[in-house]
Amino acid sequence: MFKVKGIDPTGRSETFACGTDEQAMERTWDLARRGFRDVTVVDGRGKEMSAAAFEQSLDIDWEE
C-alpha cells in the first residue's frame, strides 16, 4: 500500500491511499494537475519521498 500526500490549493493537507506503485504515480500526476503542492509518496515500508524521486525510482519504460 502506498500513501500519496499533498497540500491542496486552499492549504489543506490531504492523504490518498493507493494499492500499487502505478496508482500512486498516477495520483501524483493528478494532484499536480489540480494544483497540489509538496506532493510526497510513502511506500509500504514507511519511506517518504518526493513525487519526482518516486517517479525516478519506478524505472518506467516510456517507449511502449
Side-chain angles (χ1 to χ4, degrees), residues 4-63:
V4 179
K5 302 189 299 186
I7 300 173
D8 74 12
T10 65
R12 193 175 65 208
S13 178
E14 295 195 39
T15 302
F16 303 88
C18 300
T20 68
D21 56 355
E22 288 182 7
Q23 290 172 340
M25 190 72 260
E26 289 174 6
R27 177 61 69 174
T28 65
W29 294 334
D30 176 55
L31 295 181
R33 281 191 301 273
R34 293 172 42 201
F36 278 66
R37 56 190 163 83
D38 300 330
V39 177
T40 60
V41 179
V42 181
D43 68 15
R45 295 175 294 187
K47 180 180 178 186
E48 186 170 351
M49 63 188 92
S50 71
F54 179 69
E55 184 173 357
Q56 289 177 346
S57 76
L58 292 181
D59 193 32
I60 298 172
D61 182 12
W62 297 107
E63 297 294 323

